């Protein structure tokens, strides 16, 4: 297997096997070091199996493993930063339960560079020196949830959220217990909790940040001020306003950006986003005098640019939001708390705060392909011609993005246009060209 956009990912037991996890643990220890490691996972059924294999590989190379058990991905990154140690998370994030993945963090909680990933891939196929006796590493359980929760609460600098009525959906995932507990500690009236009974197979199933319908219904039914939706490993957050309307990652970034700037905390008046961000965000931030830096899709690339430029805020439309002064990766709970904090301090409803971004209709079509989509797309004159024709038709009033998925055998066709009908027609035109060449 090879690293994709966000670590290794595949069907657990078929593509991502215990043997692969064991080999990855050994390879990662040889590249990143055999000192202390932190390992966590989400609650999907294959998590304990693959985590055990990964931990065995690390310990076989002499590593001292602190087994965090079920903990959100950003919680594992928190411990890597706090202890200056590498870490790993067994999770497929927002994917269905049958999938799983392994994400690695370098010492200090940063995602790995392409160069380091290539070194680990090379070690997967290298012979390992067998250890025995006192040369083997250790494995011990480690309760990391309480201090991580303390960290989240502490980022509000003593402020509370008393008076806000909230519904939270934890996607039957890693934050099922922690998320509602942190909200209550800060004084929120938690009107309802959805997706808080993980059984190993229900993670992300009809709930969480990928299925916002139940959350919207619960917000309206309970008269809540806001709904918060996390995904299976709680590294992303989306929201629903009091009317049941979805507030996406672009809108969350916009309201956080304007608040940080008003308080003198938006470094260089800049936010880092990806090519998937809606044109409406670009227009709103330009009007407000906020500069946007654009990267490839993936929070790793967002964070790299944030580090290079010394920027405080970045993220993705999907709900990955990075508050660089407070975390080393996207953190759904952290993002939620700071959105709620803006609401609480301003006294303004989420619908009003998010309304700064007027989203253009956006259509995303996935075309399943065989073989290497990247190379085939680059060589296809027919696809290039279809894209050029759509771009010429839309002019400055729309946008086209065509990219191979980094985690699945798909080509993603995204079109933004002044109307939904024009966006749908344009996306179908390009998807048809892709299918004719690659399907």
């Amino acid at each position: 297997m090879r690293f994709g956009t966000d670590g290794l990912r595949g069907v657990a037991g078929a593509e991502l096997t215990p043997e692969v996890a064991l080999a990855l643990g050994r390879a990662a220890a040889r590249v990143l070091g055999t000192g202390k490691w932190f390992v966590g996972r989400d609650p999907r059924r294959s998590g304990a199996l693959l985590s055990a294999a990964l931990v065995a590989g690390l310990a076989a190379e002499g590593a001292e493993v602190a087994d965090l058990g079920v903990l959100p991905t950003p919680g594992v990154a928190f411990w890597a930063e706090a202890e200056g140690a590498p870490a790993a998370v067994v999770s497929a994030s927002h994917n269905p339960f049958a999938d799983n993945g392994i994400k690695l963090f370098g010492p200090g909680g940063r995602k790995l560079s392409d160069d380091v990933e290539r070194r680990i891939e090379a070690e997967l196929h290298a012979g390992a020196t067998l250890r025995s006796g006192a040369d083997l590493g250790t494995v011990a359980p480690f309760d990391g949830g309480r201090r991580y929760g303390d960290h989240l609460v502490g980022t509000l600098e003593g402020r509370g959220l008393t008076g806000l009525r909230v519904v939270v959906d934890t996607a039957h995932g890693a934050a099922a217990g922690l998320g509602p507990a942190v909200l209550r500690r800060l004084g929120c009236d938690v009107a309802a909790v959805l997706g808080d009974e993980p059984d190993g197979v229900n993670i992300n199933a009809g709930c969480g940040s990928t299925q916002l319908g139940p959350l919207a219904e619960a917000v309206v039914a309970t008269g809540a001020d806001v709904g918060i939706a996390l995904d299976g490993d709680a590294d992303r957050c989306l929201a629903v306003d009091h009317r049941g309307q979805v507030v996406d990652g672009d809108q969350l970034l916009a309201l956080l950006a304007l608040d940080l700037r008003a308080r003198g905390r938006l470094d260089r008046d800049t936010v880092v986003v990806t090519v998937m961000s809606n044109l409406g965000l670009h227009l709103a931030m330009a009007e407000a005098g906020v500069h946007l830096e654009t990267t490839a899709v993936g929070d790793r690339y967002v964070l790299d640019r944030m580090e290079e430029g010394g920027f405080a805020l970045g993220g993705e439309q999907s709900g990955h939001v990075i508050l660089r002064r407070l975390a080393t990766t996207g953190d759904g709970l952290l993002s939620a708390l700071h959105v709620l904090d803006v609401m609480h301090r301003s006294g303004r409803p989420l619908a009003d705060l998010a309304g700064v971004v007027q989203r253009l209709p956006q259509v995303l079509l996935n075309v399943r392909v065989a073989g290497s989509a990247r190379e085939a797309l680059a060589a296809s004159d027919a696809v290039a011609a279809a894209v050029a024709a759509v771009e010429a038709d839309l002019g400055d009033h729309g946008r086209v993005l065509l990219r191979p998925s980094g985690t699945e055998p798909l080509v993603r066709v995204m079109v933004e246009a002044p109307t939904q009908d024009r966006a749908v027609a344009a996306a179908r035109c390009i998807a048809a060209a892709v299918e004719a060449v690659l399907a």
Side-chain angles (χ1 to χ4, degrees), residues 300-311:
R300 180 180 67 171
Y301 303 113
V302 172
L303 182 58
D304 285 347
R305 184 67 194 105
M306 293 174 70
E307 294 286 349
E308 290 168 4
F311 304 127

Side-chain angles (χ1 to χ4, degrees), residues 149-223:
D150 291 343
H151 160 70
L152 292 171
V153 170
T155 65
L156 293 192
E157 303 172 333
R159 297 185 299 275
L161 300 173
T162 301
L164 284 179
R165 187 168 172 81
V166 181
V167 176
V168 60
D169 185 342
T170 59
H172 298 303
L178 183 65
V182 167
L183 291 170
R184 291 187 176 107
R185 281 182 62 181
L186 285 164
C188 288
D189 173 10
V190 180
V193 181
L194 311 180
D196 63 335
E197 298 180 353
D199 62 9
V201 301
N202 60 0
I203 188 169
N204 301 313
C207 58
S209 63
T210 57
Q211 298 287 338
L212 292 163
L215 178 64
E217 292 175 2
V219 167
V220 173
T222 60

Side-chain angles (χ1 to χ4, degrees), residues 139 234 296 343:
V139 181
M343 293 175 61

Side-chain angles (χ1 to χ4, degrees), residues 35 39 60-61 115 137 183 236 260 290 315 342 391 408 419:
V39 176
E61 292 290 333
D115 177 64
L183 291 170
R236 66 173 70 185
L260 287 171
V290 174
V342 175
E391 289 179 331
E408 301 174 87
T419 68

Side-chain angles (χ1 to χ4, degrees), residues 6 38 40-42 68 70-82 87-89 91 93 103 105 108-111 144-145 147-149 151-152 174-175 178 230-237 299 319-323 326-335:
D6 201 12
F38 289 91
R41 61 183 175 87
D42 70 28
L68 294 161
V70 174
L71 192 69
T73 289
V76 179
F78 162 79
W79 278 106
E81 180 185 25
V89 183
S91 173
S93 191
K103 307 177 187 182
F105 295 96
R110 298 297 195 271
K111 290 191 175 181
R147 186 170 158 192
Y148 170 55
H151 160 70
L152 292 171
L178 183 65
L230 306 174
D231 66 336
D233 70 337
D235 68 348
R236 66 173 70 185
C237 166
D299 61 340
H320 284 120
V321 174
I322 303 172
L323 294 157
L326 304 174
T328 62
T329 188
D331 188 327
L333 276 171
L334 180 68
S335 305

Side-chain angles (χ1 to χ4, degrees), residues 145-397:
R146 181 179 297 276
R147 186 170 158 192
Y148 170 55
D150 291 343
H151 160 70
L152 292 171
V153 170
T155 65
L156 293 192
E157 303 172 333
R159 297 185 299 275
L161 300 173
T162 301
L164 284 179
R165 187 168 172 81
V166 181
V167 176
V168 60
D169 185 342
T170 59
H172 298 303
L178 183 65
V182 167
L183 291 170
R184 291 187 176 107
R185 281 182 62 181
L186 285 164
C188 288
D189 173 10
V190 180
V193 181
L194 311 180
D196 63 335
E197 298 180 353
D199 62 9
V201 301
N202 60 0
I203 188 169
N204 301 313
C207 58
S209 63
T210 57
Q211 298 287 338
L212 292 163
L215 178 64
E217 292 175 2
V219 167
V220 173
T222 60
D225 299 305
V226 59
I228 298 297
L230 306 174
D231 66 336
D233 70 337
D235 68 348
R236 66 173 70 185
C237 166
L238 295 177
V240 171
D241 67 24
H242 71 283
R243 306 165 303 174
Q245 298 298 304
V246 173
V247 176
D248 69 12
D250 285 343
Q251 294 168 297
L252 297 180
L253 282 169
L255 70 90
L256 288 170
L258 295 181
D259 178 71
L260 287 171
R261 191 181 65 164
R263 294 188 288 145
R265 298 185 180 188
L266 187 66
D267 297 328
R268 297 170 58 187
D269 287 344
T270 296
V271 179
V272 181
V273 299
T274 77
V275 293
M276 289 297 291
S277 288
N278 193 277
L279 184 57
L281 175 63
H282 289 259
L283 297 174
M285 292 297 94
E287 183 176 349
V290 174
H291 176 66
L292 295 187
E293 292 267 341
T294 304
T295 76
V297 174
D299 61 340
R300 180 180 67 171
Y301 303 113
V302 172
L303 182 58
D304 285 347
R305 184 67 194 105
M306 293 174 70
E307 294 286 349
E308 290 168 4
F311 304 127
L313 178 66
E316 301 184 275
Q317 186 186 68
S318 60
H320 284 120
V321 174
I322 303 172
L323 294 157
R324 189 178 63 90
R325 294 182 177 182
L326 304 174
T328 62
T329 188
D331 188 327
L333 276 171
L334 180 68
S335 305
L337 296 186
H338 284 262
V339 168
L340 295 174
D341 183 44
V342 175
M343 293 175 61
H344 193 263
R345 284 186 286 105
S346 68
R348 296 168 62 190
L350 182 59
D352 184 26
L353 293 166
V356 66
V357 175
Q358 299 299 314
R359 292 178 294 184
L360 270 70
Q362 184 183 84
V363 173
L364 178 64
L365 299 180
N366 293 321
V367 182
R368 188 162 293 276
V369 299
S372 175
R374 190 174 303 278
E375 286 77 6
L377 277 178
S380 174
D381 293 337
V383 173
V387 171
V390 169
E391 289 179 331
D393 177 61
L394 294 175
D396 295 332
H397 303 290

